[in-house]
Amino acid sequence: MKVEDYDGWTSLPAMFFDRAGAMGDAPFVWRKTQGRWQSLSWAETADQVRRLAAGLRRLGVAAGDRVVLVAENRPEWLIADLAIMSIGAITTPAYTTNTSDDHRHILQDSGASAAIVSSARLAHRLLPAAIAAPALGHVIAMEAPGLKQTTGVTIHDWDRIVADGAADADTIADGVRQISRGDTACIIYTSGTGGVPKGVMLSHGAIVSNCSGAFDLLLALGLDDEVFLSFLPLSHSYEHTAGQFFPISICAQIYYAEGIDALSANMVEARPTIMTAVPRLYETMHRRINAAMDRQGGLKKRLFDRALALGRKKFLDPRSLSLSERLTNLVLDRLVRRKVQQRFGGRLKALVSGGAPLNTEIGLFFSALGLRLLQGYGQTETAPVVSCNRPDSVRMESVGPPIQGAEVRIADDGEILVRGELTMQGYWNNPQATAEVLRDGWIHTGDIGRLDDRGRIEITDRKKDIIVNSGGDNVSPQRIEGMLTLQPEIAQAMVYGDRRPHLVALLVPDEEFVAGHGDGDLKAALMEVVGRVNRELSPVERVRAIAVTTDPFTTENGMMTPSLKIRRHAIRQAYGDRLEALYRQS
């Protein structure tokens, strides 16, 4: 396979059916059922896509119609996505964590004519919103039991729609040939870190172009029989492209994780070769690995610490190791690193981090343990990948050079601008917001950064998240939060202080740390931790006071997005009075 092959695909379904035709009866997608992994072949999946596409068309879903998709990561998600696109309709994913109000916004804003939902549990939040969406006429349920017909909306059984489409399945190929790269493939609603989500319109060409750039980037790894473990929400553009369509493009197998709680076990079972994740997951793994080694103590702990020290030294400057250190490092490969790597399945070629800034120390930690970690950068508006460290040239402080097909420049005020086929067509039904972000073909990312002497991007902050204190100093909250959460005692943090004389922070302590302290001394103990961090910060970056909560930021309470970024506006709304009180007490 060559990079040029991507130029020949006119749409995402065309890419899929081309790959399925080449792979035939080879296993493609895997799901664990009753304790056993079971697969669908490429040919079986393609047949299901054609049948569902024909079934949707029989319901009256037409080219250009929006179809909302609400489901956990599973084979049916991929089948539904491709079936919708195969008839020229537009997939509109929604998070499984959405409330009825969230669904109502998406259904009404998109004007969706149909929705596909996986289970009764998720349908109970979707259906109240569906009733209030005048354009919505049909809901297809993957698991129908427990769902009753609702006024104004007809509920259909997935298996029945697939069966009804069997007679016309062979006609789907003709429709696929009519789809062009410039047609809208999906509308992905941003997760709303700063307010009401907007629908990002992405063309087939934008996502195919992104896959092409990823292929060019990872070709140095020796792409062959690759295996992906999908666990980030497929409704997020990162997993949608990197965890679904890129694997399709390289004929990879996809395992669907049972959930975040089962991720460690699933990694050992699926043995992925490439994994995509967000920094929050790597931070959690870092904390758990360190905690496990602290509990073991003794010789194992000393060997682990030595492996970290030598691995870090080698990563930063391979020539700096003495002969004895190189020999010791080889021994530690077998005694320490191989065992850690087995916890990830034992055959990872690369971990890829995206969706938010990765703390440099986290990146060095995994690299020192022999796990190649490539930090990338992107946005939903760019389908989503803009850049990524190349396997043969990793620099932890950067997010790498632009991928093939992405043109990047830095505006006079430091904002990162992106242009290329990968850019969005605009925000659905929102020309004003589109005009603010997409100007003369350039996406204005809202991120501040620079290019180093090798063309690699360094992100310094979010344009809108920068704190400007009362003295006029600009402060990066993400940098400080990253340093705070690197401490084992702190699980989550949000820094606060716009137009204030100094910074304060809201901290969520680690559960084990809480268990070891009473209410009276928990805050004092955390201030000691903060003091440790403050020694590494400039005077204007130092946190002078803290508020503490043992209630973590989660998607359920609305304080984190489904892609695990903190929602600052929601946290400020809930804890603003406590944070402001810290200034009155100082």
Side-chain angles (χ1 to χ4, degrees):
M1 178 170 185
K2 302 176 183 178
V3 174
E4 292 77 17
D5 293 341
Y6 289 85
D7 296 333
W9 288 320
T10 54
S11 69
L12 293 167
M15 180 177 77
F16 165 71
F17 285 119
D18 177 64
R19 299 287 82 192
M23 297 301 290
D25 293 329
F28 174 35
V29 289
W30 294 80
R31 182 184 182 189
K32 199 171 186 181
T33 305
Q34 296 180 339
R36 293 181 56 199
W37 287 99
Q38 297 179 332
S39 70
L40 283 176
S41 70
W42 286 85
E44 289 170 328
T45 306
D47 182 57
Q48 291 282 305
V49 170
R50 282 189 287 264
R51 290 176 178 226
L52 180 61
L56 289 171
R57 194 170 59 190
R58 286 171 66 93
L59 286 180
V61 178
D65 285 359
R66 281 74 62 203
V67 180
V68 167
L69 176 54
V70 190
E72 307 85 354
N73 290 19
R74 55 195 289 173
E76 292 87 351
W77 206 106
L78 177 146
I79 291 167
D81 192 20
L82 285 162
I84 294 164
M85 293 180 185
S86 291
I87 56 174
I90 300 169
T91 302
T92 307
Y95 290 106
T96 59
T97 54
N98 276 4
T99 64
S100 289
D101 286 342
D102 295 328
H103 286 315
R104 186 176 296 109
H105 169 72
I106 291 174
L107 289 170
Q108 293 182 346
D109 187 68
S110 68
S113 64
I116 298 175
V117 65
S118 61
S119 64
R121 179 181 67 85
L122 296 181
H124 287 318
R125 291 203 296 269
L126 176 69
L127 289 178
I131 297 169
L136 192 79
H138 304 281
V139 171
I140 297 101
M142 298 175 188
E143 303 167 13
L147 292 186
K148 298 179 180 179
Q149 293 299 327
T150 303
T151 304
V153 178
T154 305
I155 298 174
H156 305 270
D157 178 74
W158 167 283
D159 291 337
R160 172 52 57 190
I161 298 299
V162 171
D164 288 347
D168 301 327
D170 291 342
T171 66
I172 294 302
D174 294 333
V176 170
R177 283 190 284 269
Q178 303 304 312
I179 305 169
S180 71
R181 288 175 75 105
D183 291 339
T184 303
C186 56
I187 299 175
I188 298 182
Y189 279 79
T190 58
S191 48
T193 58
V196 176
K198 299 185 290 289
V200 177
M201 297 186 291
L202 296 174
S203 69
H204 289 268
I207 297 175
V208 172
S209 173
N210 225 248
C211 293
S212 175
F215 176 77
D216 173 71
L217 168 76
L218 297 175
L219 194 57
L221 296 176
L223 296 175
D224 188 13
D225 184 14
E226 305 305 326
V227 175
F228 285 69
L229 180 61
S230 176
F231 63 94
L232 295 177
L234 278 165
S235 44
H236 190 276
S237 61
Y238 182 29
E239 187 71 8
H240 191 233
T241 294
Q244 176 170 288
F245 283 111
F246 177 60
I248 287 173
S249 76
I250 61 172
C251 299
Q253 298 178 63
I254 303 172
Y255 282 71
Y256 294 100
E258 297 172 275
I260 194 71
D261 293 338
L263 185 59
S264 295
N266 290 165
M267 281 192 288
V268 174
E269 295 163 343
R271 303 181 65 226
T273 60
I274 299 173
M275 273 187 63
T276 56
V278 292
R280 178 68 180 156
L281 180 72
Y282 296 121
E283 291 166 2
T284 300
M285 290 178 173
H286 166 267
R287 186 178 295 110
R288 288 178 179 174
I289 292 171
N290 273 327
M293 296 313 303
D294 287 341
R295 286 194 297 268
Q296 290 189 20
L299 179 60
K300 288 185 178 181
K301 168 67 172 168
R302 292 195 295 274
L303 290 174
F304 180 80
D305 289 344
R306 185 62 172 157
L308 279 178
L310 290 180
R312 179 188 176 107
K313 188 175 181 181
K314 180 182 178 182
F315 178 86
L316 293 173
D317 184 2
R319 296 170 297 180
S320 65
L321 294 181
S322 66
L323 177 59
S324 64
E325 286 176 329
R326 288 198 296 272
L327 293 173
T328 301
N329 209 38
L330 288 173
V331 174
L332 292 171
D333 279 343
R334 180 179 295 272
L335 296 179
V336 177
R337 297 190 184 94
R338 187 175 300 178
K339 293 179 180 178
V340 173
Q341 292 160 13
Q342 288 300 320
R343 296 179 62 171
F344 291 78
R347 57 176 183 175
L348 270 175
K349 295 179 180 179
L351 295 163
V352 183
S353 179
L358 177 73
N359 189 289
T360 300
E361 290 302 317
I362 298 292
L364 288 173
F365 174 85
F366 285 101
S367 298
L369 292 174
L371 294 162
R372 181 188 280 114
L373 200 158
L374 308 176
Q375 181 179 197
Y377 163 70
Q379 296 187 331
T380 304
E381 290 83 350
T382 55
V385 184
V386 171
S387 69
C388 188
N389 276 277
R390 302 187 75 87
D392 55 354
S393 179
V394 178
R395 182 169 178 264
M396 285 301 168
E397 294 84 1
S398 86
V399 292
I403 62 170
Q404 183 182 71
E407 184 182 354
V408 171
R409 70 179 176 90
I410 308 298
D412 292 340
D413 63 355
E415 186 174 8
I416 298 168
L417 311 183
V418 183
R419 183 169 67 178
E421 189 181 17
L422 76 168
T423 58
M424 71 171 179
Q425 299 166 307
Y427 294 115
W428 173 263
N429 205 26
N430 197 336
Q432 181 178 346
T434 300
E436 292 172 359
V437 172
L438 185 57
R439 295 176 237 159
D440 299 322
W442 292 92
I443 292 288
H444 287 60
T445 65
D447 289 313
I448 302 297
R450 55 179 174 263
L451 297 173
D452 70 9
D453 57 357
R454 296 181 62 179
R456 295 175 295 205
I457 303 171
E458 294 181 15
I459 310 292
T460 56
D461 215 322
R462 281 289 297 166
K463 191 173 184 179
K464 293 182 180 178
D465 285 344
I466 289 177
I467 291 174
V468 182
N469 66 19
S470 57
D473 299 299
N474 288 352
V475 181
S476 164
Q478 290 180 336
R479 164 178 146 78
I480 302 166
E481 288 157 2
M483 294 181 70
L484 288 167
T485 55
L486 192 61
Q487 310 307 308
E489 300 90 346
I490 300 174
Q492 295 171 306
M494 190 197 79
V495 172
Y496 179 88
D498 201 46
R499 299 187 297 275
R500 309 298 299 185
H502 57 260
L503 300 182
V504 298
L506 176 67
L507 303 182
V508 179
D510 178 76
E511 289 183 1
E512 292 186 9
F513 187 69
V514 173
H517 292 79
D519 293 339
D521 63 352
L522 178 61
K523 186 173 181 178
L526 284 171
M527 270 309 299
E528 291 183 14
V529 177
V530 171
R532 201 162 66 214
V533 174
N534 280 341
R535 288 193 286 272
E536 306 297 321
L537 298 171
S538 67
V540 296
E541 294 177 306
R542 290 172 188 159
V543 174
R544 305 291 180 86
I546 61 172
V548 179
T549 177
T550 54
D551 295 326
F553 310 146
T554 67
T555 55
E556 287 75 15
N557 62 25
M559 295 185 192
M560 292 196 83
T561 71
S563 55
L564 305 184
K565 291 182 281 190
I566 62 173
R567 279 193 166 114
R568 296 181 187 278
H569 69 286
I571 297 171
R572 286 195 296 266
Q573 184 175 358
Y575 293 98
D577 289 344
R578 288 182 59 186
L579 291 167
E580 282 295 324
L582 296 174
Y583 292 105
R584 294 192 293 272
Q585 295 165 9
S586 61

